[in-house]
Amino acid sequence: MTSILAGLLDFLIFFVIAIALVALYLGVYTVATMHNEFALIRQNVISASTALGFSLVGFALPLGSAIVHAQGIPDLLVWGLVALAVQIVVYWLVRIVMPNLSQRIAAGEMAAALFLGAASLSAGIINAASMTF
């Protein structure tokens, strides 16, 4: 019974840290982009929710990998922050290819949103697979 409770405590600690990292990610990502995702989503701009949603999954995949491989809380925090940084870099790289990315997403253009989302998801998959510490 003690080992079950210890496992439950570990789960809760890692889960709460992961949720905090997701909240941090959403905050940093929405500040780093040139458009206000949440305002656009409240206005039912599907392109904004698509791009942000895929980006969130692109962050969650390596975060999940970090949880699986982490030897402790410091590992989880460091690799969670690496996953966050990768997603921010992906956004800025896509902006190089598509300088008017944010304006296109704000205008509801799905092609731009799907391209950013696919880039974010692809980076997240590669990032997760690379976490073999």
Side-chain angles (χ1 to χ4, degrees):
M1 184 67 157
T2 304
S3 65
I4 291 172
L5 293 177
L8 181 60
L9 181 59
D10 289 342
F11 161 79
L12 288 173
I13 290 169
F14 275 70
F15 187 79
V16 167
I17 291 170
I19 295 299
L21 285 168
V22 167
L24 176 66
Y25 171 72
L26 288 171
V28 169
Y29 186 84
T30 56
V31 167
T33 61
M34 304 307 287
H35 54 280
N36 186 334
E37 286 89 348
F38 291 113
L40 292 169
I41 291 167
R42 282 190 286 279
Q43 296 170 12
N44 199 33
V45 178
I46 295 171
S47 57
S49 63
T50 301
L52 183 61
F54 276 103
S55 171
L56 184 57
V57 173
F59 173 72
L61 285 167
L63 182 59
S65 181
I67 290 169
V68 168
H69 293 99
Q71 299 296 313
I73 293 169
D75 278 349
L76 175 58
L77 292 171
V78 166
W79 290 105
L81 292 174
V82 167
L84 186 153
V86 166
Q87 289 300 314
I88 301 300
V89 168
V90 167
Y91 169 76
W92 287 100
L93 289 174
V94 171
R95 281 202 58 216
I96 291 170
V97 176
M98 195 178 300
N100 58 348
L101 175 66
S102 289
Q103 293 86 348
R104 291 182 66 186
I105 289 172
E109 292 186 31
M110 286 301 295
L114 287 172
F115 181 69
L116 175 59
S120 298
L121 185 55
S122 298
I125 291 167
I126 293 167
N127 190 4
S130 299
M131 289 187 181
T132 58
F133 51 95

